[in-house]
Amino acid sequence: MFSFTVPLGKLVRAVSRLRGGGSALPGLVVERIDPGFMQRTLSSLPHGVAVVSGTNGKTTTTKMVVELLESQGLKVFTNRTGSNFTRGVAAALLGEVDWRGRLDADVAVLELDEAHAVHFVNKVPPRYCLLLNVLRDQLDRFGEIDATAMLLQRIAERTTGTVVLNREDPRVARIAGAVSGPEVRYFGLDESLRSTFPNDDDMRAAAPGTSAPGTSAHGDVPAVETADVVLRRVGTDDADFEFDGTRVTTHMKLRGVYNIFNAAAALVLARSITGASGRPGDAAKLVKALSEVAPAFGRGESLTVDGQPLELVLVKNPSGFRLGLKSFPAKGYASMIAINDNYADGRDMSWLWDVEFESLREDGVEVVTGVRAYDMALRLQYDDVRFGSVDTDIPAALAEFIRGSAGKPKRVFCTYTAMLAIRRELSKITTVEVVS
């Protein structure tokens, strides 16, 4: 039945890649002609399917989980392109299955957009899910954050094995009360780090009528649950994690405090899938693998341009931009900001006014670009941040930025589609990771 699905899908995939088309198109075609393709292909995996979702950090966290599982000898299927809609998963499957539609993998670890994850889990109930956070993001698509929290809850309700939750996010932690079948595990923070990772209510607590820090929008404080993995300390290039009653220090290639917190989440999910709790040898392998994980593309990734590092920092909501500015100090770096408002970025850019840019005052911003360059420039002006040129043409702006900051390390804060455009331009002058 549907014996033509895989050959046709692979043909569409090959033609799409030759034409430089999007990675999700073949998946869209297969979804239309064979709606049962994903369920049929993924249902036979020995360790089932794990879904990673939430507002921030899905791509890097998924990458960490995959590499941790591979360190344990598991064959892992994942949607490496970061295309986190259901059609993106279907397209990724087409690249991995043989001509008979068989997938050589032990487990699937899939990054999924919150809304599309609900569609996916209705077709393919996951054995595991990891729910990272709920923050204001793309309000034009999902509405307010309580609606996003309900989407994540529906993912948890469809999960058959283990649900991993962020203990520090009250909206995520409350999901535990809505699930009865799956086991619930948590990842968490040392108390000394909690102010570094404010939840959405914490960030707005200064505004009249909002909740005090540590409470939810409804004023209730979730009970403090015991976390399977706790991030105890974040250093310049290392971190301390505690699990099984032991505190472990490990080197980290990942940069950014938000990535390190999500590493705790990745450890919980990987340990749940492998059943590694309490086995010192397995734990040591997981920690070693974690120390070797490099940033996902565009998420703090560092390239070399004219002999100097150029870092790409993805920003797409107030929390992400705030933590990006905190994690990557401006001093000594030439900075560029690229803001688009395409569908994948979210159309509503009003969130820029919820970010404080004072940390950029000393060195300023050399170039502001993207579709919403002038909105970004106005925002910087209100925070008394000096900026140079403003140009909506990303290739031209990037070329000017590189010329004008010769001899200096560089950093670009960019929304998703702006990041893709910048990577395309950089691939013409330096080595850029190929995401297939």
Side-chain angles (χ1 to χ4, degrees), residues 23 59 80-84 111 138 297-299 313-316 338-346 349 351 394 413-424 435:
S23 61
T59 299
R80 296 184 190 277
T81 63
S83 180
N84 55 25
E111 167 197 350
Q138 301 191 23
F297 74 104
R299 277 78 171 176
V313 182
L314 179 68
V315 295
K316 63 189 186 76
I339 304 294
N340 277 352
D341 65 351
N342 297 316
Y343 177 77
D345 307 297
M349 288 292 123
W351 62 264
I394 289 178
F413 297 96
C414 43
T415 57
Y416 182 72
T417 65
M419 179 264 290
L420 295 180
I422 288 167
R423 291 182 92 255
R424 281 195 298 270
V435 182

Side-chain angles (χ1 to χ4, degrees), residues 113-123 151-152 154-155:
D113 164 276
E114 298 94 311
H116 285 263
V118 173
H119 296 299
F120 176 86
V121 300
N122 284 335
K123 295 180 180 179
L151 295 175
L152 296 184
R154 289 168 65 186
I155 299 168

Side-chain angles (χ1 to χ4, degrees), residues 25-106:
L25 175 61
L28 180 61
V29 172
V30 168
E31 279 189 328
R32 293 285 177 84
I33 64 173
D34 185 0
F37 170 68
M38 282 192 300
Q39 182 179 14
R40 194 169 60 249
T41 307
L42 296 172
S43 62
S44 62
L45 298 180
H47 290 274
V49 175
V51 167
V52 179
S53 195
T55 308
N56 281 356
K58 295 184 289 293
T59 299
T60 300
T61 305
T62 300
K63 186 174 189 290
M64 283 190 275
V65 174
V66 169
E67 295 187 28
L68 291 176
L69 294 177
E70 289 177 341
S71 77
Q72 302 292 302
L74 293 179
K75 294 180 181 178
V76 186
F77 164 74
T78 188
N79 47 336
R80 296 184 190 277
T81 63
S83 180
N84 55 25
F85 292 0
T86 54
R87 56 182 177 268
V89 175
L93 277 171
L94 285 171
E96 296 293 329
V97 297
D98 63 19
W99 289 95
R100 295 183 179 181
R102 294 176 300 194
L103 180 63
D104 183 20
D106 299 306

Side-chain angles (χ1 to χ4, degrees), residues 299-326:
R299 277 78 171 176
E301 115 184 273
S302 185
L303 310 172
T304 301
V305 177
D306 294 337
Q308 293 290 334
L310 185 151
E311 294 178 343
L312 295 176
V313 182
L314 179 68
V315 295
K316 63 189 186 76
N317 52 43
S319 174
F321 214 147
R322 286 185 182 195
L323 286 171
L325 291 168
K326 187 170 186 175

Side-chain angles (χ1 to χ4, degrees), residues 19 86 188 266-268 282 287 305 321-322 370 418:
R19 292 170 57 90
T86 54
L267 280 169
V268 177
D282 291 341
V287 171
V305 177
F321 214 147
R322 286 185 182 195

